[in-house]
Amino acid sequence: GDKATIMFSENGNTAWTGGLCTDLHNKLNGRQKSFPGPEYVALGSHERYNVRFRDGSEDWVGCSETAEVLEESDRSSVNTVAFGEYS
């Protein structure tokens, strides 16, 4: 992805611009209309993301350390995710 925006409306509608990484775009665009839409999305560099749907299911792409932390924690207690870089 390059530059992207995701917008959530109070009525539950979701819209997004171009620039999402292919994997996240396919998750959002290819989701069956009968399935609940997203309620939260965190975008990061290097095609990292976290998406949580209104039914509680989620999907994410991150570094191996992210996987370790999420697998060791109570995932239901994670409210937000932030991705960043350091040097």
Side-chain angles (χ1 to χ4, degrees), residues 2-79:
D2 185 13
K3 297 176 183 174
T5 303
I6 299 178
M7 297 155 278
F8 298 92
S9 300
E10 289 184 13
N11 66 5
N13 289 337
T14 308
W16 53 89
T17 64
L20 293 175
C21 67
T22 301
D23 190 38
L24 179 57
H25 179 268
N26 290 344
K27 292 253 184 255
L28 296 174
N29 205 41
R31 192 162 171 90
Q32 294 180 9
K33 300 295 181 198
S34 62
F35 289 3
E39 67 177 1
Y40 172 82
V41 177
L43 301 175
S45 58
H46 307 289
E47 300 190 359
R48 296 177 293 183
Y49 68 87
N50 175 268
V51 58
R52 183 174 56 236
F53 296 95
R54 289 192 300 271
D55 64 0
S57 64
E58 67 178 327
D59 191 37
W60 57 273
V61 172
C63 62
S64 59
E65 290 85 358
T66 304
E68 292 171 13
V69 169
L70 287 173
E71 289 171 6
E72 293 173 2
S73 69
D74 176 9
R75 292 177 83 157
S76 65
S77 68
V78 176
N79 291 325

